[in-house]
Amino acid sequence: MLTMTHPTHPYSLASSRVLLFHEQSKRLHFEPSTLSPSNYATPHAAPTYPDHLDPRDGDSIQHKKDPYIGSDQWHSILANEKPYFYDSDEKELTASDKKKLKEMYNHPPLPLPPPPLKLNQEEENARSLALALGIGIPCLIVVISGLVVGYFLYKRWRRKQRAGSIYASNMPIVTNQNIYSKPLSGMLSGSSENTDLWALSRKDLEISYEKKLGSGAFCNVFYGRIIGTAPICTVNPNLISASRFKDCEVAIKMLPSFADDIARSDFQQEINFMKSLNYHPHLVSMLGYVCDPKNPLLVVEYCSKGDLLHFIREKKPEIMTAYENGSGLRIRDLLSFSWQISNGLEYLSSVGCIHRDIALRNVLLDESNTCKIGDFGLCRLTDNLLYTARGGRLPLRWMAPESLRSFEYSFQSDVWSYGILLYELFTFGEVPYGAVDNAEILQYLESGQRLEKPIFCPTEIYSIMMDCWKENGSDRPSFSQICNGFVQIIESAQPDYGYVQATAGEP
């Protein structure tokens, strides 16, 4: 058996070298348990060796009295001099064994890492939960964000698809052949060349943004002026009132900055529609438009007295006391308003137009008390007697039962709405069905109930209203019949028309 002398410490260092050799050499066999460091309590305690390796045995080591080998002797070992290695048979080790022992001494192996600490079950569960949350929550956020982004991209795509289909499906071809029926061209459609006679240069238009005339769900209207001659005079040179449209006041309709593709499509459709109409004294006429694809402008007649709904509400005390005072706006003037509106609607129906939004708020009044029908955003030109559409903003309280029930619109449904307009006019601006919720209007009408006669409404006027509100559309009068009926009433009406009946009807 092998023993090896050590230069400095006969215990830990010598035992480690013997152990290393035990692990890597098969020819030497040695039991290292007796050289455990626990056998050495202090650095100078007497070591315990196996009997065959006891340094005090003179047969196994040179120095019987001193178990330590001098440093000079150990340096001779490291310098490849004759080392002090012996085996149990007193045979000298081979050169390869000596080389292995020397390499083992000069390059000891790294200590093994301590074994991992075992966590208890609760700590393992807590760590697993924290890991799952740390991975799951970010993944969930990414998935939700992706779904939200995908939803908005889908909605945007649907809006573009719908915007493209609205113009194609809801704008039928107009049968009357005139210059008004030409489609939009030039800059509005993206062309670099603009030959549209309706087009107006932006530099010829002054806009007073501080003077806002009105606003709706999709448009704003501002006061402005045209510098020079309006395009309508070029389009229709035989216009009798052409002189009114030179260096004149105008109303300018424009889209808000947040308008989407659908609103832009509707606005362009309204411009197209107004170009298809001839000039009519009881319609708000288009004077021109600015061809700008980003910010198109619609220029129309300016009506200084605003919409008829606000006007009639302000004039209510004056109308109610006009007979006693001998001056002011009278009920007979309301007859004139009724006829003018019916006359404008008669023209629209003659060219195949379904207005769909006939109400007092959409009638404007100029400085000479001339009524002009405006807001053609919901108008549709059609060769059919029936138009079906769903969605969008709907004037529920002015709609006919068939429109509320199945979204069907016709000239007869416009007649129903005109009857509601007459109710607004002769109640001086009251809201129709004021005590009925929107969701209950159809049930209210299907039960046979109708709006009651206003106090200051003459009997023959209320009779026209009731004719307009007949359940079957074919039983309702046409606008030509209504217009002729008002002509007869106006011709026979006296200055005190309506007041005597109203006074007799009061309690």
Side-chain angles (χ1 to χ4, degrees), residues 182-200:
K182 292 182 180 180
L184 290 178
S185 60
M187 294 178 63
L188 195 58
S189 59
S191 174
S192 59
E193 185 177 341
N194 183 16
T195 58
D196 192 346
L197 297 179
W198 285 99
L200 178 68

Side-chain angles (χ1 to χ4, degrees), residues 186-371:
M187 294 178 63
L188 195 58
S189 59
S191 174
S192 59
E193 185 177 341
N194 183 16
T195 58
D196 192 346
L197 297 179
W198 285 99
L200 178 68
S201 175
R202 178 65 180 82
K203 66 181 181 179
D204 295 332
L205 192 64
E206 296 178 352
I207 304 176
S208 299
Y209 289 101
E210 68 279 1
K211 189 174 181 181
K212 192 173 185 178
L213 301 179
S215 61
F218 304 105
C219 288
N220 296 318
V221 183
F222 295 92
Y223 173 83
R225 294 187 64 88
I226 285 182
I227 302 173
T229 303
I232 190 174
C233 298
T234 304
V235 173
N236 192 353
N238 297 325
L239 188 63
I240 297 176
S241 57
S243 59
R244 293 174 47 218
F245 304 126
K246 295 180 180 181
D247 297 319
C248 60
E249 297 176 306
V250 295
I252 303 166
K253 193 172 183 179
M254 63 183 66
L255 292 168
S257 58
F258 54 84
D260 58 11
D261 294 337
I262 296 178
R264 292 181 180 278
S265 177
D266 290 342
F267 189 60
Q268 293 178 9
Q269 181 173 313
E270 183 176 357
I271 295 175
N272 263 341
F273 171 78
M274 296 191 72
K275 289 174 62 178
S276 69
L277 300 176
N278 290 312
Y279 178 82
H280 194 280
H282 298 132
L283 299 180
V284 176
S285 295
M286 172 181 171
L287 305 182
Y289 75 100
V290 175
C291 307
D292 187 345
K294 294 183 178 180
N295 186 28
L297 305 177
L298 175 59
V299 183
V300 299
E301 291 181 88
Y302 173 65
C303 297
S304 59
K305 293 187 178 180
D307 67 88
L308 191 54
L309 177 62
H310 286 86
F311 176 82
I312 208 69
R313 286 176 177 174
E314 293 176 358
K315 295 293 182 177
K316 178 179 178 179
E318 179 181 320
I319 298 173
M320 294 177 65
T321 60
Y323 181 71
E324 291 83 359
N325 297 334
S327 62
L329 201 67
R330 301 188 174 214
I331 294 179
R332 195 174 186 275
D333 296 316
L334 302 186
L335 286 178
S336 176
F337 294 161
S338 302
W339 171 81
Q340 293 179 56
I341 298 170
S342 66
N343 180 250
L345 292 173
E346 180 187 15
Y347 168 74
L348 290 178
S349 62
S350 67
V351 297
C353 170
I354 302 175
H355 192 281
R356 297 201 303 160
D357 197 11
I358 298 172
L360 213 58
R361 62 181 176 275
N362 292 329
V363 178
L364 302 180
L365 203 64
D366 67 7
E367 68 281 355
S368 62
N369 281 354
T370 301
C371 292

Side-chain angles (χ1 to χ4, degrees), residues 343-490:
N343 180 250
L345 292 173
E346 180 187 15
Y347 168 74
L348 290 178
S349 62
S350 67
V351 297
C353 170
I354 302 175
H355 192 281
R356 297 201 303 160
D357 197 11
I358 298 172
L360 213 58
R361 62 181 176 275
N362 292 329
V363 178
L364 302 180
L365 203 64
D366 67 7
E367 68 281 355
S368 62
N369 281 354
T370 301
C371 292
K372 294 177 177 290
I373 301 170
D375 197 348
F376 301 102
L378 294 181
C379 286
R380 295 295 181 268
L381 289 173
T382 178
D383 294 329
N384 299 321
L385 298 178
L386 187 65
Y387 172 79
T388 303
R390 294 178 180 270
R393 53 189 180 93
L394 299 174
L396 297 178
R397 296 179 181 270
W398 287 259
M399 290 169 60
E402 63 270 19
S403 302
L404 291 170
R405 190 180 301 113
S406 55
F407 301 98
E408 294 178 353
Y409 301 91
S410 62
F411 303 123
Q412 287 73 31
S413 64
D414 274 357
V415 169
W416 176 289
S417 300
Y418 175 75
I420 304 295
L421 179 147
L422 291 179
Y423 176 85
E424 290 183 279
L425 186 61
F426 285 90
T427 57
F428 313 121
E430 289 187 9
V431 178
Y433 316 106
V436 182
D437 293 335
N438 286 341
E440 300 175 353
I441 292 178
L442 180 58
Q443 181 181 356
Y444 178 87
L445 297 176
E446 288 179 338
S447 65
Q449 301 183 73
R450 297 294 185 265
L451 293 168
E452 296 181 356
K453 176 180 172 297
I455 296 176
F456 282 86
C457 178
T459 303
E460 54 264 45
I461 302 301
Y462 186 67
S463 178
I464 294 176
M465 294 183 195
M466 293 299 294
D467 289 340
C468 294
W469 298 336
K470 289 184 177 180
E471 179 68 24
N472 192 345
S474 60
D475 296 334
R476 301 168 195 164
S478 65
F479 282 115
S480 296
Q481 294 172 329
I482 294 173
C483 191
N484 292 332
F486 275 111
V487 169
Q488 297 176 4
I489 295 174
I490 291 173

